[in-house]
């Protein structure tokens, strides 16, 4: 099992949109996925389940621990399960102590592994402190969605420094990649930022794919579904997440795991 967090300094960069669509693609590709909403604002839960604000979830687990099974919500895809953020009162309280968080995160990941989950995908609140810091530190990988705007040239190195500091403090988290979001393909500024970032960063640190800014993403979040489910036939932008999922499998070593499994199966046949 691997745990992947998404993180960004700013809000509104498309983290939650990425998590929902990527979780769906990974589940469609056969992985057992647990999507965990660690943002007190609860974007994942609010878009996917109506009862999210009254349901116990991640923040109750953080404050009391307990049985992960009780807070897991099934979806229509058997491979995809969700843990919502938690009740509004609990999320607002933030009275869990910081030093208990690493142990609770470890419990959560152990619980997920016992359920047979392959990938835990964690959506986070904007910023790199408090709960998000504990979440990112507990994960094996982090994906960094980044808006294609001029500020990115300064904010991406800063974010990478923060992650390097986490590692120097003993966390094992590695950057799976930086993913450009809300790219306006017809706008020179957006394309220029994308080009400059690719030139500035180590080769391969950025995902080949980027997520375009399109009205269909707004529609999808209003409907509370991945973009693939907004139409009878998935729109072309849904395929982007399948490509990102495939790339992520390579970047995290998941594809090797699958090859190994398939290898065993063919020996037995
Ligand atoms: N690629 C996109 N194109 C157009 N709108 C988007 C896109 N990604 C996200 N949005 C919209 O922008 C808003 C913020 O996105 P969200 O995923 O919630 O960001 P974050 O989780 O980083 O705060 C939402 O209303 C969402 O529907
Ligand atoms: Mg969000």
């Amino acid at each position: 099992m691997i745990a992947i967090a998404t993180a960004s300094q700013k809000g509104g960069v498309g983290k939650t949109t990425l998590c929902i669509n990527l979780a769906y693609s990974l589940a469609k590709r056969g992985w057992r996925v647990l999507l965990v909403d660690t943002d007190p604002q609860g974007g994942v839960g609010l878009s996917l389940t109506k009862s999210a604000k009254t349901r116990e979830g991640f923040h109750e687990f953080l404050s009391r621990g307990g049985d992960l099974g009780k807070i897991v919500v099934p979806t229509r895809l058997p491979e995809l399960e969700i843990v919502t953020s938690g009740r509004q009162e609990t999320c607002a309280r933030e009275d869990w102590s910081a030093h208990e968080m690493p142990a609770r995160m470890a419990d959560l990941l152990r619980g997920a592994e016992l359920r047979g989950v392959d990938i835990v995908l964690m959506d986070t609140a904007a910023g790199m402190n408090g709960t998000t810091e504990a979440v990112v530190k507990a994960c094996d990988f982090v994906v960094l969605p980044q808006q294609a705007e001029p500020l990115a040239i300064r904010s991406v190195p800063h974010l990478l420094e923060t992650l390097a500091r986490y590692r120097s403090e003993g966390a094992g988290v590695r950057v799976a990649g930086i993913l450009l979001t809300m790219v306006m393909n017809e706008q020179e500024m957006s394309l220029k930022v994308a080009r400059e970032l690719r030139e500035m960063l180590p080769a391969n640190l950025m995902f080949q794919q980027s997520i375009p800014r399109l009205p269909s993403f707004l529609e999808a979040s209003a409907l509370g579904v991945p973009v693939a489910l907004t139409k009878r036939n998935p729109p072309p932008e849904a395929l982007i997440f399948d490509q990102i999922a495939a790339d992520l499998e390579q970047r995290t070593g998941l594809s090797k795991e699958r090859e190994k499994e398939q290898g065993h199966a063919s020996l037995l046949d």
Side-chain angles (χ1 to χ4, degrees):
M1 188 190 81
I2 63 166
I4 307 172
T6 55
S8 70
Q9 205 55 257
K10 269 190 11 174
V13 302
K15 258 193 323 294
T16 299
T17 303
L18 170 67
C19 283
I20 291 173
N21 287 284
L22 185 59
Y24 181 79
S25 280
L26 288 165
K28 282 289 220 187
R29 292 169 69 82
W31 300 106
R32 288 198 58 185
V33 180
L34 183 64
L35 173 58
V36 182
D37 190 354
T38 76
D39 182 353
Q41 305 235 346
V44 169
L46 288 187
S47 33
L48 299 183
T49 59
K50 293 200 177 64
S51 61
K53 276 189 184 166
T54 51
R55 190 188 277 279
E56 294 206 341
F58 174 75
H59 286 90
E60 279 77 16
F61 192 92
L62 208 55
S63 62
R64 293 200 302 266
D67 179 4
L68 178 66
K70 292 216 173 103
I71 55 170
V72 167
V73 187
T75 72
R76 288 212 193 120
L77 269 190
E79 290 82 10
L80 176 59
E81 297 175 321
I82 293 171
V83 171
T84 57
S85 179
R87 291 192 176 138
Q88 225 168 4
E89 316 82 89
T90 324
C91 293
R93 252 195 351 247
E94 293 210 28
D95 61 354
W96 38 88
S97 80
H99 73 268
E100 274 180 1
M101 277 198 238
R104 291 274 199 264
M105 285 301 303
D107 286 349
L108 190 146
L109 295 179
R110 207 170 307 120
E113 184 140 40
L114 288 173
R115 288 182 76 75
V117 168
D118 297 309
I119 305 167
V120 181
L121 187 62
M122 301 214 157
D123 190 16
T124 60
M128 295 294 281
N129 31 37
T131 308
T132 298
E133 177 171 344
V135 169
V136 172
K137 281 182 166 171
C139 285
D140 304 296
F141 293 97
V142 61
V143 174
L144 305 171
Q146 174 64 53
Q147 229 170 311
E149 57 176 16
L151 199 62
I153 307 295
R154 272 183 289 145
S155 58
V156 167
H158 183 69
L159 198 53
L160 294 175
E161 276 163 28
T162 304
L163 289 160
R165 175 169 60 78
Y166 290 180
R167 288 178 65 84
S168 72
E169 289 167 6
V173 63
R174 282 178 283 163
V175 179
I178 296 171
L179 180 63
L180 281 180
T181 59
M182 310 230 191
V183 177
M184 290 181 270
N185 281 323
E186 67 290 354
Q187 275 216 2
E188 182 47 33
M189 179 55 84
S190 203
L191 298 175
K192 183 168 173 272
V193 170
R195 237 181 0 250
E196 283 179 9
L197 273 177
R198 283 189 202 282
E199 278 163 18
M200 183 179 91
L201 295 168
N204 213 25
L205 190 56
M206 282 177 69
F207 281 85
Q208 276 305 315
Q209 306 81 5
S210 55
I211 302 171
R213 184 189 282 271
L214 292 171
S216 53
F217 288 104
L218 280 170
E219 263 168 58
S221 57
L223 291 169
V225 292
V227 76
L229 297 181
T230 49
K231 308 238 160 58
R232 187 188 283 268
N233 293 315
E237 51 274 26
L239 299 179
I240 298 172
F241 294 97
D242 296 339
Q243 290 166 357
I244 295 170
D247 196 350
L248 193 62
E249 286 169 10
Q250 296 285 341
R251 286 165 180 267
T252 57
L254 276 168
S255 42
K256 282 206 195 99
E257 240 175 76
R258 177 166 282 167
E259 273 163 29
K260 250 191 277 163
E261 274 170 26
Q262 285 169 348
H264 287 309
S266 59
L267 273 180
L268 294 174
D269 281 343

